[in-house]
Amino acid sequence: MALAIIPQVNHSIVNEGKLFPYHANNIIYTYNNSLEEEGYKIITSKEGIVVEYAKERGKFYGQKTLEQLFLIYPHEIPEMTIHDYPQYPHRGFMIDSCRHFFSISEIKKQIEIMALVKMNVFHWHLSDDQGWRIEIKKYPKLTTQGSLRKQTRGDGKEVSGYYTQEQIKEIIEFCQERYIDVIPEIDMPGHFTAACSCYPELLCTKEKIDVAEHFGILPNIACVGRDFTYQFCCDVLDEVCDLFPSRYVHIGGDEALKLNWLTCPDCQAKMKSENLKTPEELETAFLNEIAKHIAKKGKKAICWNDGMSCETIDSKIIMQYWKDDKQHTSLAKSLVEKGYQTIISPFKHYYLDYNYGITPLKKTYNYQFPFHSQHILGVEAPIWTEYISSILRLEYLAYPRLFAVAEKGWSNRDDYDSFLARLDVFKNKLDSLGINYAPLSEVNPFFLKRWFLKLSFYFNAVDKNIINSFRLLHKYKNRK
Ligand code: ACM
Ligand code: ZN
Protein backbone atom coordinates (compact mmCIF):
# COMPACT_ATOMS: atom_id res chain seq x y z
CA MET A 1 0.00 0.00 0.00
CA ALA A 2 1.37 3.43 -0.88
CA LEU A 3 0.92 6.37 1.41
CA ALA A 4 -1.91 8.59 0.21
CA ILE A 5 0.20 11.65 0.88
CA ILE A 6 3.87 11.58 1.78
CA PRO A 7 4.81 14.18 4.39
CA GLN A 8 7.57 16.72 3.77
CA VAL A 9 10.47 14.31 4.03
CA ASN A 10 13.62 13.88 2.04
CA HIS A 11 15.01 10.41 2.22
CA SER A 12 13.65 6.93 2.51
CA ILE A 13 10.26 5.75 3.60
CA VAL A 14 10.19 1.95 3.78
CA ASN A 15 7.97 -0.86 5.03
CA GLU A 16 4.72 0.90 4.34
CA GLY A 17 2.29 -1.52 5.89
CA LYS A 18 -1.16 -1.90 7.35
CA LEU A 19 -2.97 0.96 9.00
CA PHE A 20 -3.30 0.78 12.79
CA PRO A 21 -4.83 3.09 15.39
CA TYR A 22 -2.39 5.19 17.43
CA HIS A 23 -2.17 7.55 20.39
CA ALA A 24 -0.46 10.84 19.56
CA ASN A 25 0.92 11.09 23.09
CA ASN A 26 2.32 7.56 23.17
CA ILE A 27 5.68 8.18 21.49
CA ILE A 28 9.06 6.84 22.55
CA TYR A 29 12.11 9.02 21.86
CA THR A 30 15.50 7.30 21.73
CA TYR A 31 19.05 8.44 21.10
CA ASN A 32 20.87 7.09 18.03
CA ASN A 33 24.26 8.67 17.46
CA SER A 34 24.58 7.27 13.93
CA LEU A 35 22.01 9.79 12.70
CA GLU A 36 22.75 13.14 11.04
CA GLU A 37 22.72 16.43 13.02
CA GLU A 38 19.28 17.44 11.69
CA GLY A 39 18.20 13.88 10.93
CA TYR A 40 15.79 11.48 12.63
CA LYS A 41 14.10 8.13 12.18
CA ILE A 42 10.44 7.44 12.78
CA ILE A 43 9.32 3.83 13.15
CA THR A 44 5.61 3.20 13.42
CA SER A 45 4.24 -0.22 14.29
CA LYS A 46 1.37 -1.75 16.23
CA GLU A 47 3.67 -1.70 19.28
CA GLY A 48 3.87 2.10 19.11
CA ILE A 49 5.73 5.02 17.53
CA VAL A 50 9.49 5.43 18.02
CA VAL A 51 11.53 8.52 17.11
CA GLU A 52 15.32 8.18 16.99
CA TYR A 53 17.66 11.16 16.89
CA ALA A 54 21.27 12.14 17.51
CA LYS A 55 20.79 15.84 18.30
CA GLU A 56 17.91 17.75 19.86
CA ARG A 57 17.27 19.53 16.55
CA GLY A 58 16.84 16.14 14.84
CA LYS A 59 14.28 15.21 17.49
CA PHE A 60 12.51 18.52 16.79
CA TYR A 61 12.26 17.75 13.06
CA GLY A 62 11.03 14.24 13.85
CA GLN A 63 8.26 15.86 15.88
CA LYS A 64 7.44 18.17 12.96
CA THR A 65 7.09 15.20 10.61
CA LEU A 66 4.91 13.44 13.17
CA GLU A 67 2.72 16.56 13.32
CA GLN A 68 2.34 16.35 9.55
CA LEU A 69 1.64 12.60 9.68
CA PHE A 70 -1.05 13.09 12.33
CA LEU A 71 -2.69 15.72 10.12
CA ILE A 72 -2.60 13.31 7.17
CA TYR A 73 -3.67 10.29 9.25
CA PRO A 74 -5.88 11.60 12.05
CA HIS A 75 -7.06 8.17 13.26
CA GLU A 76 -4.93 5.33 11.89
CA ILE A 77 -1.33 5.45 10.71
CA PRO A 78 0.45 2.98 8.40
CA GLU A 79 3.33 0.81 9.61
CA MET A 80 6.49 2.35 8.23
CA THR A 81 10.06 3.51 8.79
CA ILE A 82 11.13 7.01 7.78
CA HIS A 83 14.78 8.00 7.74
CA ASP A 84 14.98 11.71 7.02
CA TYR A 85 17.45 14.58 6.96
CA PRO A 86 17.59 17.80 4.97
CA GLN A 87 18.98 18.37 1.53
CA TYR A 88 20.54 21.74 2.51
CA PRO A 89 21.71 23.25 5.82
CA HIS A 90 20.28 26.74 5.02
CA ARG A 91 16.49 27.03 4.65
CA GLY A 92 15.58 30.66 5.09
CA PHE A 93 12.86 33.28 5.08
CA MET A 94 13.79 36.98 4.94
CA ILE A 95 11.41 39.67 6.20
CA ASP A 96 11.97 43.33 5.35
CA SER A 97 10.91 45.23 8.49
CA CYS A 98 12.15 48.55 7.06
CA ARG A 99 9.78 49.57 4.32
CA HIS A 100 6.94 48.65 6.64
CA PHE A 101 7.21 47.78 10.30
CA PHE A 102 5.85 44.56 11.85
CA SER A 103 5.37 44.01 15.56
CA ILE A 104 7.18 41.39 17.62
CA SER A 105 4.02 39.28 17.86
CA GLU A 106 3.47 39.49 14.08
CA ILE A 107 7.06 38.36 13.50
CA LYS A 108 6.66 35.47 15.98
CA LYS A 109 3.66 34.16 14.08
CA GLN A 110 5.71 33.89 10.88
CA ILE A 111 8.48 32.10 12.79
CA GLU A 112 5.95 29.56 14.04
CA ILE A 113 5.06 28.76 10.43
CA MET A 114 8.72 28.47 9.42
CA ALA A 115 9.23 25.84 12.13
CA LEU A 116 6.22 23.90 10.90
CA VAL A 117 7.93 23.34 7.53
CA LYS A 118 11.43 22.78 8.98
CA MET A 119 12.96 26.10 7.97
CA ASN A 120 15.94 27.09 10.07
CA VAL A 121 17.05 30.63 9.14
CA PHE A 122 15.22 33.88 9.81
CA HIS A 123 17.04 36.62 7.88
CA TRP A 124 15.94 39.95 9.33
CA HIS A 125 16.38 43.00 7.08
CA LEU A 126 16.77 45.79 9.64
CA SER A 127 18.12 48.85 7.84
CA ASP A 128 17.24 50.51 4.56
CA ASP A 129 16.58 53.85 2.88
CA GLN A 130 13.04 54.07 4.27
CA GLY A 131 13.76 53.26 7.92
CA TRP A 132 16.30 52.10 10.49
CA ARG A 133 14.72 49.46 12.73
CA ILE A 134 17.31 48.23 15.25
CA GLU A 135 18.35 50.03 18.43
CA ILE A 136 22.06 50.88 18.37
CA LYS A 137 23.13 52.30 21.72
CA LYS A 138 26.17 54.16 20.39
CA TYR A 139 24.13 55.99 17.71
CA PRO A 140 20.74 56.77 19.29
CA LYS A 141 19.65 59.05 16.44
CA LEU A 142 19.35 55.97 14.21
CA THR A 143 16.16 55.08 16.03
CA THR A 144 14.97 58.45 17.42
CA GLN A 145 15.14 59.95 13.90
CA GLY A 146 16.04 57.24 11.42
CA SER A 147 13.09 54.98 12.25
CA LEU A 148 10.60 57.67 11.31
CA ARG A 149 9.37 58.30 7.79
CA LYS A 150 7.04 61.27 7.41
CA GLN A 151 5.06 59.75 4.58
CA THR A 152 5.23 57.21 1.79
CA ARG A 153 4.84 58.31 -1.83
CA GLY A 154 2.88 61.41 -0.80
CA ASP A 155 0.22 59.62 1.28
CA GLY A 156 0.72 61.93 4.28
CA LYS A 157 0.86 58.95 6.71
CA GLU A 158 3.80 58.56 9.08
CA VAL A 159 5.51 55.15 9.32
CA SER A 160 7.70 54.48 12.35
CA GLY A 161 8.87 51.75 14.69
CA TYR A 162 12.00 49.96 15.74
CA TYR A 163 13.05 46.95 17.78
CA THR A 164 14.83 47.51 21.07
CA GLN A 165 17.76 45.21 21.80
CA GLU A 166 15.59 43.55 24.47
CA GLN A 167 12.85 42.82 21.90
CA ILE A 168 15.44 41.43 19.52
CA LYS A 169 16.68 39.09 22.27
CA GLU A 170 13.07 37.94 22.71
CA ILE A 171 12.86 37.03 19.00
CA ILE A 172 16.25 35.29 19.10
CA GLU A 173 15.12 33.20 22.08
CA PHE A 174 11.80 32.37 20.40
CA CYS A 175 13.75 31.23 17.33
CA GLN A 176 16.28 29.22 19.36
CA GLU A 177 13.43 27.22 20.86
CA ARG A 178 12.57 26.27 17.26
CA TYR A 179 16.15 25.68 16.06
CA ILE A 180 16.00 28.78 13.87
CA ASP A 181 19.08 30.96 13.45
CA VAL A 182 18.43 34.72 13.25
CA ILE A 183 20.70 36.45 10.72
CA PRO A 184 20.58 40.25 10.94
CA GLU A 185 21.11 42.40 7.87
CA ILE A 186 22.59 45.89 8.02
CA ASP A 187 22.58 46.97 4.39
CA MET A 188 25.63 48.94 3.19
CA PRO A 189 27.01 50.91 1.38
CA GLY A 190 23.74 51.31 -0.59
CA HIS A 191 20.23 51.45 0.91
CA PHE A 192 21.77 53.76 3.51
CA THR A 193 19.53 56.85 3.34
CA ALA A 194 18.02 56.39 6.82
CA ALA A 195 21.51 56.25 8.41
CA CYS A 196 22.70 59.24 6.33
CA SER A 197 19.63 61.24 7.37
CA CYS A 198 20.80 60.98 11.00
CA TYR A 199 24.54 61.44 10.41
CA PRO A 200 25.04 63.56 7.23
CA GLU A 201 28.82 63.13 7.40
CA LEU A 202 28.17 59.58 6.14
CA LEU A 203 27.23 61.08 2.76
CA CYS A 204 29.77 62.14 0.12
CA THR A 205 27.97 65.50 -0.12
CA LYS A 206 27.42 65.84 3.69
CA GLU A 207 24.02 67.39 2.88
CA LYS A 208 21.05 67.15 5.24
CA ILE A 209 18.50 64.67 3.86
CA ASP A 210 15.31 62.97 5.10
CA VAL A 211 14.53 59.28 5.57
CA ALA A 212 13.42 58.22 2.06
CA GLU A 213 9.72 58.63 1.33
CA HIS A 214 9.75 56.82 -1.98
CA PHE A 215 11.26 53.62 -3.38
CA GLY A 216 13.82 52.63 -5.98
CA ILE A 217 17.60 52.69 -6.16
CA LEU A 218 18.70 55.89 -4.45
CA PRO A 219 22.05 57.67 -4.76
CA ASN A 220 22.40 58.46 -1.04
CA ILE A 221 24.94 55.74 -0.37
CA ALA A 222 27.71 55.75 2.23
CA CYS A 223 30.88 57.70 1.45
CA VAL A 224 33.54 55.00 1.68
CA GLY A 225 36.43 57.41 1.32
CA ARG A 226 36.00 58.76 4.83
CA ASP A 227 37.24 57.17 8.11
CA PHE A 228 34.02 58.10 9.91
CA THR A 229 32.00 55.73 7.68
CA TYR A 230 34.23 52.77 8.62
CA GLN A 231 34.09 53.75 12.29
CA PHE A 232 30.29 54.04 12.14
CA CYS A 233 29.75 50.73 10.29
CA CYS A 234 32.15 48.84 12.57
CA ASP A 235 30.60 50.30 15.73
CA VAL A 236 27.11 49.36 14.54
CA LEU A 237 28.24 45.86 13.57
CA ASP A 238 30.03 45.41 16.91
CA GLU A 239 26.71 45.87 18.71
CA VAL A 240 24.94 43.65 16.15
CA CYS A 241 27.58 40.90 16.55
CA ASP A 242 27.27 41.03 20.33
CA LEU A 243 23.47 40.87 20.18
CA PHE A 244 22.94 38.07 17.64
CA PRO A 245 24.49 34.66 18.41
CA SER A 246 24.41 33.67 14.71
CA ARG A 247 27.72 32.87 13.00
CA TYR A 248 26.52 35.03 10.11
CA VAL A 249 25.86 38.72 9.56
CA HIS A 250 24.41 40.00 6.29
CA ILE A 251 26.11 43.20 5.15
CA GLY A 252 23.91 43.90 2.12
CA GLY A 253 26.05 45.09 -0.77
CA ASP A 254 23.10 45.32 -3.18
CA GLU A 255 22.03 48.09 -5.51
CA ALA A 256 24.70 50.60 -4.54
CA LEU A 257 24.40 53.41 -7.10
CA LYS A 258 27.93 54.79 -7.01
CA LEU A 259 27.35 58.11 -8.79
CA ASN A 260 28.43 60.33 -5.88
CA TRP A 261 31.70 58.43 -5.54
CA LEU A 262 32.71 59.62 -9.01
CA THR A 263 32.99 63.24 -7.86
CA CYS A 264 33.61 62.89 -4.11
CA PRO A 265 37.18 64.06 -3.24
CA ASP A 266 37.37 61.57 -0.34
CA CYS A 267 36.26 58.58 -2.42
CA GLN A 268 38.54 59.59 -5.27
CA ALA A 269 41.50 60.03 -2.89
CA LYS A 270 40.88 56.55 -1.45
CA MET A 271 40.81 55.04 -4.94
CA LYS A 272 44.06 56.74 -5.79
CA SER A 273 45.87 55.80 -2.60
CA GLU A 274 44.77 52.15 -2.83
CA ASN A 275 45.23 51.93 -6.59
CA LEU A 276 41.57 51.05 -7.18
CA LYS A 277 40.59 51.48 -10.80
CA THR A 278 36.79 51.50 -10.66
CA PRO A 279 33.99 52.33 -8.19
CA GLU A 280 33.26 48.57 -8.16
CA GLU A 281 36.79 47.95 -6.87
CA LEU A 282 36.24 50.61 -4.22
CA GLU A 283 32.98 48.92 -3.19
CA THR A 284 34.77 45.56 -3.02
CA ALA A 285 37.54 47.05 -0.86
CA PHE A 286 34.88 48.45 1.50
CA LEU A 287 32.92 45.18 1.76
CA ASN A 288 36.16 43.22 2.29
CA GLU A 289 37.18 45.55 5.11
CA ILE A 290 33.78 45.21 6.79
CA ALA A 291 33.87 41.41 6.37
CA LYS A 292 37.36 41.36 7.88
CA HIS A 293 36.14 43.40 10.84
CA ILE A 294 33.28 41.06 11.68
CA ALA A 295 35.54 38.03 11.12
CA LYS A 296 37.53 39.28 14.14
CA LYS A 297 34.31 38.74 16.11
CA GLY A 298 34.00 35.19 14.77
CA LYS A 299 31.31 36.03 12.20
CA LYS A 300 31.02 35.36 8.47
CA ALA A 301 29.61 38.00 6.14
CA ILE A 302 26.83 37.36 3.64
CA CYS A 303 26.43 39.67 0.64
CA TRP A 304 23.88 40.01 -2.20
CA ASN A 305 25.45 38.81 -5.47
CA ASP A 306 25.35 42.15 -7.31
CA GLY A 307 27.80 43.51 -4.72
CA MET A 308 30.27 40.75 -5.58
CA SER A 309 31.26 41.82 -9.07
CA CYS A 310 35.06 41.96 -8.65
CA GLU A 311 37.44 39.03 -8.45
CA THR A 312 39.09 40.59 -5.42
CA ILE A 313 36.02 40.02 -3.22
CA ASP A 314 36.98 38.07 -0.10
CA SER A 315 36.40 34.36 -0.75
CA LYS A 316 35.06 33.90 2.77
CA ILE A 317 32.04 36.12 2.01
CA ILE A 318 28.92 34.07 1.35
CA MET A 319 27.04 35.09 -1.79
CA GLN A 320 23.26 35.42 -1.79
CA TYR A 321 22.24 34.89 -5.43
CA TRP A 322 19.18 37.03 -6.25
CA LYS A 323 20.06 38.79 -9.52
CA ASP A 324 19.53 36.02 -12.00
CA ASP A 325 20.06 37.63 -15.41
CA LYS A 326 22.58 35.99 -17.74
CA GLN A 327 25.53 38.16 -16.74
CA HIS A 328 25.00 37.88 -12.97
CA THR A 329 24.30 34.15 -13.23
CA SER A 330 27.49 33.48 -15.11
CA LEU A 331 29.45 35.57 -12.60
CA ALA A 332 27.77 33.75 -9.70
CA LYS A 333 28.52 30.39 -11.31
CA SER A 334 32.19 31.24 -11.65
CA LEU A 335 32.36 32.34 -8.00
CA VAL A 336 30.71 29.10 -6.90
CA GLU A 337 33.20 27.13 -9.00
CA LYS A 338 35.97 28.95 -7.17
CA GLY A 339 34.49 27.78 -3.88
CA TYR A 340 32.36 30.73 -2.70
CA GLN A 341 29.48 29.47 -0.58
CA THR A 342 26.06 30.45 -1.89
CA ILE A 343 22.44 30.87 -0.89
CA ILE A 344 19.90 30.62 -3.71
CA SER A 345 17.22 33.38 -3.78
CA PRO A 346 16.39 34.11 -7.45
CA PHE A 347 14.08 37.10 -7.48
CA LYS A 348 11.86 35.94 -10.33
CA HIS A 349 11.02 32.73 -8.46
CA TYR A 350 11.64 33.20 -4.74
CA TYR A 351 10.74 36.86 -4.04
CA LEU A 352 7.42 36.55 -2.28
CA ASP A 353 6.47 40.23 -2.60
CA TYR A 354 5.54 39.76 -6.27
CA ASN A 355 1.89 38.83 -6.65
CA TYR A 356 0.68 35.42 -7.87
CA GLY A 357 0.24 36.78 -11.41
CA ILE A 358 3.97 37.46 -11.65
CA THR A 359 5.08 34.46 -9.62
CA PRO A 360 2.52 31.67 -9.41
CA LEU A 361 3.06 28.94 -6.81
CA LYS A 362 3.95 26.40 -9.50
CA LYS A 363 6.71 28.66 -10.83
CA THR A 364 8.23 28.90 -7.35
CA TYR A 365 7.94 25.15 -6.75
CA ASN A 366 9.39 24.13 -10.12
CA TYR A 367 12.46 26.40 -9.98
CA GLN A 368 15.64 24.53 -10.94
CA PHE A 369 19.03 25.84 -9.80
CA PRO A 370 21.16 27.23 -12.65
CA PHE A 371 24.27 25.57 -11.21
CA HIS A 372 25.00 22.72 -8.84
CA SER A 373 27.79 22.57 -6.34
CA GLN A 374 28.63 21.35 -2.88
CA HIS A 375 29.09 25.04 -2.07
CA ILE A 376 25.36 25.72 -2.26
CA LEU A 377 24.30 26.16 1.36
CA GLY A 378 20.60 26.24 0.59
CA VAL A 379 17.64 28.40 -0.31
CA GLU A 380 15.99 31.52 0.99
CA ALA A 381 12.76 33.37 0.15
CA PRO A 382 12.80 37.12 0.80
CA ILE A 383 9.69 39.25 1.20
CA TRP A 384 10.35 42.96 0.56
CA THR A 385 7.67 45.24 1.88
CA GLU A 386 7.67 48.43 -0.22
CA TYR A 387 4.11 47.64 -1.31
CA ILE A 388 3.07 45.51 1.70
CA SER A 389 1.72 47.65 4.51
CA SER A 390 -0.07 45.03 6.60
CA ILE A 391 0.75 41.63 8.03
CA LEU A 392 -2.41 40.26 6.38
CA ARG A 393 -1.06 41.14 2.93
CA LEU A 394 2.37 39.77 3.86
CA GLU A 395 0.81 36.45 4.89
CA TYR A 396 -1.34 36.29 1.78
CA LEU A 397 1.76 36.63 -0.41
CA ALA A 398 4.07 34.46 1.69
CA TYR A 399 1.84 31.40 2.09
CA PRO A 400 1.78 28.95 0.50
CA ARG A 401 4.78 29.96 -1.65
CA LEU A 402 7.15 29.85 1.33
CA PHE A 403 6.25 26.16 1.70
CA ALA A 404 7.50 25.52 -1.86
CA VAL A 405 10.88 27.03 -0.94
CA ALA A 406 10.92 25.10 2.35
CA GLU A 407 10.33 21.89 0.41
CA LYS A 408 13.24 22.64 -1.95
CA GLY A 409 15.48 23.30 1.04
CA TRP A 410 14.55 20.14 2.89
CA SER A 411 13.69 17.58 0.31
CA ASN A 412 15.20 16.21 -2.89
CA ARG A 413 11.69 15.45 -4.14
CA ASP A 414 10.16 17.24 -7.07
CA ASP A 415 6.52 16.29 -6.79
CA TYR A 416 4.16 19.20 -7.22
CA ASP A 417 0.98 17.10 -6.92
CA SER A 418 2.03 15.59 -3.61
CA PHE A 419 3.03 19.09 -2.45
CA LEU A 420 -0.44 20.43 -3.29
CA ALA A 421 -2.13 17.58 -1.46
CA ARG A 422 -0.07 18.31 1.64
CA LEU A 423 -0.92 21.99 1.49
CA ASP A 424 -4.54 21.01 1.73
CA VAL A 425 -3.76 18.99 4.84
CA PHE A 426 -2.08 22.04 6.44
CA LYS A 427 -5.19 24.18 5.96
CA ASN A 428 -6.73 23.49 9.38
CA LYS A 429 -3.42 24.05 11.11
CA LEU A 430 -2.93 27.41 9.39
CA ASP A 431 -6.52 28.37 10.19
CA SER A 432 -5.95 27.57 13.86
CA LEU A 433 -2.87 29.83 13.85
CA GLY A 434 -4.92 32.60 12.22
CA ILE A 435 -2.75 32.83 9.09
CA ASN A 436 -4.16 34.76 6.15
CA TYR A 437 -2.75 32.39 3.48
CA ALA A 438 -3.84 32.62 -0.14
CA PRO A 439 -6.40 29.97 -1.10
CA LEU A 440 -5.18 27.41 -3.64
CA SER A 441 -7.75 28.74 -6.12
CA GLU A 442 -5.73 32.02 -6.28
CA VAL A 443 -2.12 30.89 -6.38
CA ASN A 444 -1.89 29.77 -10.02
CA PRO A 445 -4.10 32.28 -11.85
CA PHE A 446 -5.20 31.57 -15.40
CA PHE A 447 -3.71 33.51 -18.32
CA LEU A 448 -5.89 36.65 -18.33
CA LYS A 449 -5.87 36.98 -14.54
CA ARG A 450 -2.07 36.65 -14.58
CA TRP A 451 -1.80 39.57 -16.97
CA PHE A 452 -4.24 41.63 -14.97
CA LEU A 453 -2.22 41.00 -11.78
CA LYS A 454 1.09 41.73 -13.51
CA LEU A 455 -0.15 45.01 -14.92
CA SER A 456 -1.70 46.09 -11.62
CA PHE A 457 1.59 45.43 -9.81
CA TYR A 458 3.63 47.51 -12.26
CA PHE A 459 1.02 50.30 -12.48
CA ASN A 460 1.17 50.62 -8.71
CA ALA A 461 4.96 50.32 -8.37
CA VAL A 462 6.23 52.44 -11.23
CA ASP A 463 6.15 56.15 -10.41
CA LYS A 464 8.37 59.09 -11.25
CA ASN A 465 10.88 58.13 -8.55
CA ILE A 466 11.35 54.63 -9.93
CA ILE A 467 11.81 56.13 -13.39
CA ASN A 468 14.39 58.49 -11.90
CA SER A 469 16.24 55.47 -10.42
CA PHE A 470 16.50 53.98 -13.92
CA ARG A 471 17.67 57.35 -15.30
CA LEU A 472 20.44 57.57 -12.67
CA LEU A 473 21.47 53.96 -13.22
CA HIS A 474 21.66 54.64 -16.94
CA LYS A 475 23.73 57.78 -16.30
CA TYR A 476 26.13 55.79 -14.11
CA LYS A 477 26.49 52.90 -16.56
CA ASN A 478 27.03 55.20 -19.55
CA ARG A 479 29.43 57.60 -17.87
CA LYS A 480 32.49 58.61 -19.88
C1 ACM B 1 17.61 43.08 -3.45
O1 ACM B 1 16.57 42.63 -3.89
N1 ACM B 1 17.87 44.38 -3.55
C2 ACM B 1 18.59 42.24 -2.80
ZN1 ZN C 1 32.64 59.88 -0.84
Side-chain angles (χ1 to χ4, degrees), residues 51-70:
V51 177
E52 296 177 7
Y53 62 95
K55 293 270 176 357
E56 286 300 313
R57 61 177 63 225
K59 178 179 176 185
F60 180 76
Y61 292 129
Q63 287 167 329
K64 290 294 154 195
T65 294
L66 276 182
E67 263 184 55
Q68 293 185 22
L69 277 171
F70 295 159

Side-chain angles (χ1 to χ4, degrees), residues 128-130 189-194 196 202-207 209-210 212 214-224 254-264 267 465-473 475-476:
D128 213 303
D129 299 310
Q130 294 80 11
H191 291 284
F192 220 53
T193 306
C196 295
L202 289 168
L203 266 181
C204 290
T205 56
K206 298 188 185 165
E207 71 197 300
I209 56 168
D210 285 331
H214 54 263
F215 304 117
I217 299 176
L218 309 181
N220 306 318
I221 74 171
C223 172
V224 298
D254 58 319
E255 297 181 322
L257 171 56
K258 298 171 266 294
L259 261 182
N260 288 349
W261 292 1
L262 299 173
T263 50
C264 167
C267 287
N465 296 298
I466 298 284
I467 292 167
N468 196 40
S469 290
F470 285 116
R471 194 180 61 73
L472 293 176
L473 275 174
K475 185 173 162 191
Y476 176 74

Side-chain angles (χ1 to χ4, degrees), residues 191 254-255 304 322 351 384:
H191 291 284
D254 58 319
E255 297 181 322
W304 297 105
W322 74 281
Y351 274 24
W384 301 97

Side-chain angles (χ1 to χ4, degrees), residues 23-49:
H23 292 288
N25 47 10
N26 185 16
I27 298 159
I28 298 160
Y29 290 96
T30 65
Y31 176 72
N32 172 351
N33 77 353
S34 73
L35 291 170
E36 307 74 18
E37 173 152 354
E38 294 190 290
Y40 63 89
K41 250 185 189 181
I42 293 176
I43 302 134
T44 64
S45 72
K46 283 190 280 301
E47 283 71 52
I49 297 173

Side-chain angles (χ1 to χ4, degrees), residues 126-127 132 134 184-188 192 236-237 240 250-252:
L126 289 165
S127 73
W132 187 281
I134 171 174
E185 179 179 351
I186 305 296
D187 205 343
M188 58 185 76
F192 220 53
V236 166
L237 289 171
V240 167
H250 205 304
I251 58 171

